[in-house]
Amino acid sequence: MHSQSWKFATQVSLIALLAGAVSTVAFAQSTPVPETAREVEVVVVTGSRIPRPELSATSPVAVTTGEQLRLERAVTVEDFSAKLPQLSGGVKSTATGSDARGAQTLDLRSLGQNRTLVLINGTRATPFSFRNAVDVSAIPASLLKRVDVLTGGAAAVYGADAVSGVVNFIINDEFEGLNINANVDVPKGGGQTYSIDGAYGIDVGGRGNLVGYLAYAQREGLRTGDRGWAFQNVPAPSAGGIFTDVASGRNVSTDASGNVVSGELFQNFQPKFLLTQPLKRFNAALFGKYSLTDKIEVYGRAMFADTTAEGAGFAGEAPVAVDRTVSILASNTFIPAALRSQLTFVNGAANVRVRKSLTDLGLRTSTTERQLGEFQLGLRGDITDAIKWDIYAQTGKVDEKTLVNGDAVATVNGVNRFDALVNTSDIFKAGNSAIAGLGSTLIRDIREREVNVYAASLSGTTADFFSLPAGPIGFSLGVEQREDSGVIKADPVILAGTSFTQGSQTAYQGGYDVSEVYGELLIPLLADLPFIKKLELEGAYRRSDYSNAGEFNTDKIGFSWEMISGVRVRGTQQTVARAPNLGEFAAPTFSIPFANLRTVPRLNPRYPGDPCALGTGNAAQCTRLGYKGPYDSLNPANLTGQYFFGGNSTIKPETGETRTIGLVFAPEFTRGFSATIDYYDIELNNAV
């Protein structure tokens, strides 16, 4: 990992939320409803831990209600999250070749999934990846009461990973009855999806609720060749091979049937690549709460997800392609006559460079099997009518492994296995059983991830003790302890780096922990004055102590100024900091063949070419680093060796500032309508 400074361009987002039928609009009312007669729902708005009415937070929070989700006919979180303007990027569960492997992740404002904090009912969801990304496909979409999207940073309120903001999924844990949804999507030409889910909720003796959820989803694969617009020319050596006589430089090729062709023959296997990856997923969840006394309630959740997804691995999907200089004997009876005449035999042997796609191994695929389990148990209650307490413990664990097919062990005891077949089998065409026999299933990325959270908080107002002229002071205090550990293993072939294309991997076992204390204040300054219906000031502070990154502080100051009823201006300034996550500071070292950066399309952006060869680099630095002179740095044949990547144990936390200012328009005469416009500016320093 490396550090850099990022400055993100200021943007403006406009969000208009329409809900309810026309008949509910207040135009039809002949008599205004007195303020005291209205029922104001007080909730914990995601921008703060202090309870307050919706749309009154100082931070920009966009709320998607359950009614809107039903109008969207959302079967999964992915169905509607892709339409939210605040969410950009992220990894889709359909994407092949990503390290999400069938997961659906969220990315706020294109700042990265590692800077987007995902919550379920206000508490952290268990991440599946070492980047702290959460697979939101495990969240039951049909049970969502609402989804809050907070942008502009929330590190002081929720912790380090909330640099770009928070997505909070609020579950309807009071659902009663039975709800079953089935969905079949059969697009023309492939990629069918099938899903069914059911929720059942009961009242428990008038003192609580229990809601269960089951879901199964399946998606068939879609090949690139099924969609003409997706076609790309990705040349690879032919299945027969390209044979270059080293002595003379003559090139002769053979096709899959062994027919000799002059020159170099390439094939394009891309139409057979997966455009969307096949997937099977089973979800189960249980949410419950029960009042032990009039003042104490026990609550909790249990979630389980089992996902199997097939896609492209690190090396891409093209068949293994060898590029070897071997000694072909004149006594080799498999050599086609037209090829034999082009080879230079000296002492009964010819040195030949062989470039060949090993199609007998099949396309390379990576099948990931992942199980997620999360359990939470908590107690909450009232100290007074205005002050509440909450304490909970949560544990989440992810087990994952990836099976790689279409590759093989390349070397045994230092001997290349393909070289050993050159003179004992027909390498000049496809359909070679000896090459097919090299194939084996390799197991890489055997990952275990466990996150434990222990938290306690106190929140409410000073209404029972005192109030300022404009109202009581709101507050929230809390402590949180998180323990994060991980294990990465692989089979011996991957650890040794002796496969054809999978590179190497280092085993890892370790983790870190963090202790945090935080507080918030909401101070009503003025109320019921001309052009100041209500003016509030909010402040937040969090101190974090990471075992891998040391101590740092984050803070927030914000204001909310309701000028007249239904028109409000809000703004915040916050400092943010993010400690390196498990993958960034402790991930093991991986390597893949350097040439993959040019032969695997999804990896191309990682390598724009050698700046020394392109003339864009510093000449003195190029000389100092041993640059030997001009060459084609984009030709895979010139990219020998391995490309290494992984964690950095010396990486430091990134810091930054976020600023927002916005306008909320929610006039009383249009009940059910609200519109917000928010300006935000996010700047990160030493970004990881």
Side-chain angles (χ1 to χ4, degrees):
M1 299 293 173
H2 62 279
S3 295
Q4 61 183 19
S5 293
W6 289 352
K7 173 68 177 180
F8 296 94
T10 299
Q11 300 184 29
V12 174
S13 64
L14 176 64
I15 306 153
L17 305 177
L18 295 173
V22 175
S23 59
T24 64
V25 178
F27 285 124
Q29 296 178 351
S30 58
T31 304
V33 179
E35 189 71 29
T36 56
R38 295 178 185 162
E39 181 180 350
V40 179
E41 181 184 7
V42 178
V43 298
V44 177
V45 179
T46 300
S48 169
R49 295 178 185 268
I50 302 173
R52 67 188 75 182
E54 286 193 52
L55 288 175
S56 67
T58 60
S59 298
V61 180
V63 179
T64 303
T65 65
E67 288 80 2
Q68 290 171 295
L69 298 177
R70 284 187 283 275
L71 287 173
E72 292 281 354
R73 297 178 61 233
V75 177
T76 67
V77 171
E78 183 176 5
D79 291 336
F80 69 87
S81 63
K83 301 177 183 179
L84 297 176
Q86 301 89 350
L87 295 171
S88 56
V91 176
K92 310 305 179 191
S93 70
T94 58
T96 62
S98 75
D99 58 3
R101 298 158 186 161
Q104 169 71 16
T105 68
L106 303 180
D107 181 355
L108 273 170
R109 304 301 188 193
S110 296
L111 291 181
Q113 51 195 314
N114 55 343
R115 297 182 180 87
T116 302
L117 182 61
V118 176
L119 307 176
I120 300 175
N121 289 343
T123 62
R124 288 173 176 254
T126 300
F128 78 95
S129 80
F130 277 43
R131 298 185 195 174
N132 281 1
V134 172
D135 182 5
V136 296
S137 297
I139 298 173
S142 62
L143 281 177
L144 288 175
K145 186 176 181 180
R146 72 175 199 271
V147 181
D148 295 347
V149 180
L150 162 69
T151 55
V157 177
Y158 288 105
D161 299 324
V163 171
S164 61
V166 170
V167 182
N168 190 5
F169 294 90
I170 310 299
I171 303 296
N172 181 8
D173 56 6
E174 297 180 346
F175 173 78
E176 294 183 17
L178 176 65
N179 181 35
I180 297 177
N181 301 291
N183 185 69
V184 178
D185 188 2
V186 186
K188 184 179 179 180
Q192 301 91 334
T193 60
Y194 316 91
S195 64
I196 184 169
D197 69 82
Y200 182 63
I202 60 172
D203 175 82
V204 183
R207 300 183 67 87
N209 298 85
L210 196 62
V211 183
Y213 174 84
L214 293 174
Y216 176 79
Q218 181 174 335
R219 180 176 59 237
E220 305 298 332
L222 179 66
R223 301 287 173 181
T224 303
D226 296 330
R227 297 290 185 267
W229 54 264
F231 178 82
Q232 300 177 32
N233 186 23
V234 186
S238 70
I242 303 172
F243 304 92
T244 303
D245 182 63
V246 174
S248 65
R250 289 188 292 264
N251 289 315
V252 181
S253 302
T254 57
D255 62 17
S257 299
N259 300 311
V260 177
V261 179
S262 62
E264 298 179 328
L265 180 63
F266 293 91
Q267 287 184 253
N268 185 11
F269 299 98
Q270 193 255 2
K272 298 180 181 180
F273 295 175
L274 287 168
L275 189 59
T276 62
Q277 56 182 323
L279 179 143
K280 294 180 180 179
R281 183 175 58 242
F282 171 75
N283 292 353
L286 185 66
F287 300 88
K289 59 183 181 180
Y290 185 79
S291 295
L292 300 175
T293 70
D294 291 340
K295 294 290 187 180
I296 300 176
E297 181 180 69
V298 60
Y299 68 94
R301 68 175 182 255
M303 299 177 62
F304 174 79
D306 187 307
T307 304
T308 300
E310 179 183 327
F314 285 131
E317 292 178 86
V320 170
V322 296
D323 188 344
R324 309 278 305 168
T325 298
V326 300
S327 178
I328 296 181
L329 302 179
S331 59
N332 187 329
T333 60
F334 299 106
I335 306 174
L339 173 59
R340 181 183 293 272
S341 64
Q342 302 299 310
L343 302 182
T344 304
F345 291 98
V346 178
N347 297 324
N351 287 330
V352 181
R353 178 187 177 190
V354 179
R355 287 170 284 168
K356 175 182 173 67
S357 293
L358 305 185
T359 56
D360 296 309
L361 298 176
L363 294 179
R364 285 173 295 188
T365 61
S366 294
T367 301
T368 296
E369 301 170 355
R370 179 172 58 249
Q371 293 82 40
L372 162 70
E374 179 181 296
F375 305 92
Q376 182 192 78
L377 185 64
L379 290 171
R380 58 194 174 201
D382 301 336
I383 296 178
T384 70
D385 290 341
I387 300 176
K388 302 180 182 298
W389 59 272
D390 190 345
I391 183 170
Y392 73 89
Q394 178 179 309
T395 184
K397 186 175 182 181
V398 177
D399 291 297
E400 179 182 275
K401 66 178 178 181
T402 299
L403 310 177
V404 179
N405 290 298
D407 209 326
V409 179
T411 58
V412 176
N413 297 325
V415 178
N416 187 278
R417 298 176 76 196
F418 176 79
D419 293 2
L421 299 177
V422 167
N423 293 295
T424 60
S425 67
D426 190 352
I427 68 166
F428 306 99
K429 64 179 182 181
N432 186 315
S433 59
I435 290 179
L438 298 179
S440 58
T441 298
L442 307 177
I443 305 177
R444 68 169 306 137
D445 293 341
I446 305 172
R447 303 197 296 188
E448 299 174 7
R449 180 81 190 275
E450 184 172 350
V451 181
N452 298 316
V453 182
Y454 312 95
S457 64
L458 190 69
S459 63
T461 73
T462 61
D464 291 326
F465 306 100
F466 69 92
S467 292
L468 300 178
I473 296 174
F475 68 90
S476 175
L477 301 170
V479 295
E480 188 171 307
Q481 171 78 22
R482 297 194 303 276
E483 301 168 352
D484 195 337
S485 61
V487 176
I488 295 182
K489 298 179 289 185
D491 70 21
V493 174
I494 302 296
L495 294 176
T498 56
S499 69
F500 277 106
T501 64
Q502 294 303 307
S504 64
Q505 180 176 314
T506 305
Y508 163 80
Q509 181 172 359
Y512 68 93
D513 59 78
V514 55
S515 300
E516 297 183 299
V517 58
Y518 62 87
E520 287 184 80
L521 282 178
L522 179 65
I523 304 173
L525 298 179
L526 300 170
D528 300 324
L529 297 174
F531 297 105
I532 305 179
K533 183 175 177 61
K534 195 165 191 177
L535 177 62
E536 296 176 322
L537 183 67
E538 180 181 7
Y541 173 84
R542 175 179 290 255
R543 183 168 183 81
S544 305
D545 185 2
Y546 280 78
S547 62
N548 65 320
E551 298 182 4
F552 53 84
N553 306 320
T554 52
D555 56 63
K556 168 187 176 181
I557 186 168
F559 75 92
S560 173
W561 172 24
E562 188 174 7
M563 296 176 286
I564 59 176
S565 182
V567 180
R568 186 167 61 88
V569 178
R570 63 188 179 190
T572 65
Q573 164 135 0
Q574 304 181 59
T575 60
V576 295
R578 186 178 70 86
N581 58 43
L582 200 60
E584 293 165 337
F585 98 94
T589 300
F590 300 85
S591 77
I592 57 176
F594 198 1
N596 283 3
L597 298 183
R598 296 301 302 166
T599 60
V600 180
R602 70 179 182 84
L603 297 179
N604 288 172
R606 295 194 184 192
Y607 177 67
D610 183 347
C612 295
L614 296 174
T616 58
N618 179 277
Q621 186 180 36
C622 291
T623 301
R624 186 169 65 253
L625 295 176
Y627 176 57
K628 303 300 183 183
Y631 73 104
D632 183 359
S633 65
L634 299 179
N635 186 342
N638 295 328
L639 304 181
T640 59
Q642 299 289 303
Y643 170 74
F644 294 90
F645 57 99
N648 180 352
S649 61
T650 65
I651 201 73
K652 300 299 181 184
E654 63 185 28
T655 60
E657 292 186 356
T658 75
R659 304 171 187 86
T660 67
I661 188 166
L663 175 68
V664 178
F665 182 65
E668 294 184 0
F669 59 83
T670 57
R671 296 188 66 187
F673 169 86
S674 64
T676 67
I677 182 169
D678 289 287
Y679 165 103
Y680 73 92
D681 182 70
I682 304 175
E683 182 176 353
L684 291 182
N685 300 310
N686 299 317
V688 178

